[in-house]
Amino acid sequence: MSREVRHLIGVVAGLAALPLVYYLTEAGARALRAAYATFRPAPVGLGYLTAVAAIVVLLAAWSWLSPLAALACGLPLTAVAALFAFDLDVALELAGRLPSFAVPVGEPPGTLAGVTGLYAVIGVLLVLSALLPRGRRSILGG
């Protein structure tokens, strides 16, 4: 497979993973918040965040072929995290325009995960996995 094809597939994979990571992270954060508020365990929240971790591992593992998969997902998440950190009003307005899936009324998607820094952690990890030297990008790499 040529380098260009690998890079194109990497970009497509990263962009396809972006909404999954965004919404699953928010769902996990909301489930954890609900469990914390009711003093109950949160297996659903753990499940959502485990799914996010699996996607992140797959994207990081892909970076031994093409770092663009991790960058295509990680850079927008890092930008979202920066927006939540530096201009919460703009972040909330933009998040309010996104489609919401089972998000409580009045709470834009991504709000809880954005203000708690989950997007920053995930995005920075993905970007770092893409920027590491080729032999150190992934435990799966050579």
Side-chain angles (χ1 to χ4, degrees):
M1 182 181 322
S2 74
R3 179 179 168 178
E4 292 80 19
V5 171
R6 283 194 317 250
H7 288 322
L8 179 63
I9 293 171
V11 169
V12 170
L15 291 175
L18 181 59
L20 290 171
V21 170
Y22 185 83
Y23 286 110
L24 285 172
T25 303
E26 177 61 16
R30 279 186 281 114
L32 292 175
R33 176 184 60 190
Y36 181 75
T38 59
F39 299 104
R40 294 185 180 190
V44 172
L46 178 62
Y48 287 135
L49 294 178
T50 300
V52 170
I55 294 168
V56 168
V57 166
L58 287 173
L59 290 174
W62 183 278
S63 68
W64 69 275
L65 282 174
S66 171
L68 296 180
L71 284 176
C73 187
L75 285 176
L77 286 172
T78 304
V80 166
L83 193 58
F84 272 103
F86 295 115
D87 199 341
L88 184 59
D89 293 333
V90 171
L92 292 175
E93 181 182 330
L94 290 175
R97 295 180 185 171
L98 294 172
S100 60
F101 303 102
V103 176
V105 175
E107 181 180 316
T111 302
L112 187 61
V115 297
T116 59
L118 284 172
Y119 294 132
V121 171
I122 295 166
V124 168
L125 284 174
L126 281 169
V127 170
L128 288 177
S129 77
L131 297 179
L132 286 174
R134 185 177 186 124
R136 302 182 74 188
R137 283 189 193 146
S138 167
I139 60 172
L140 302 175

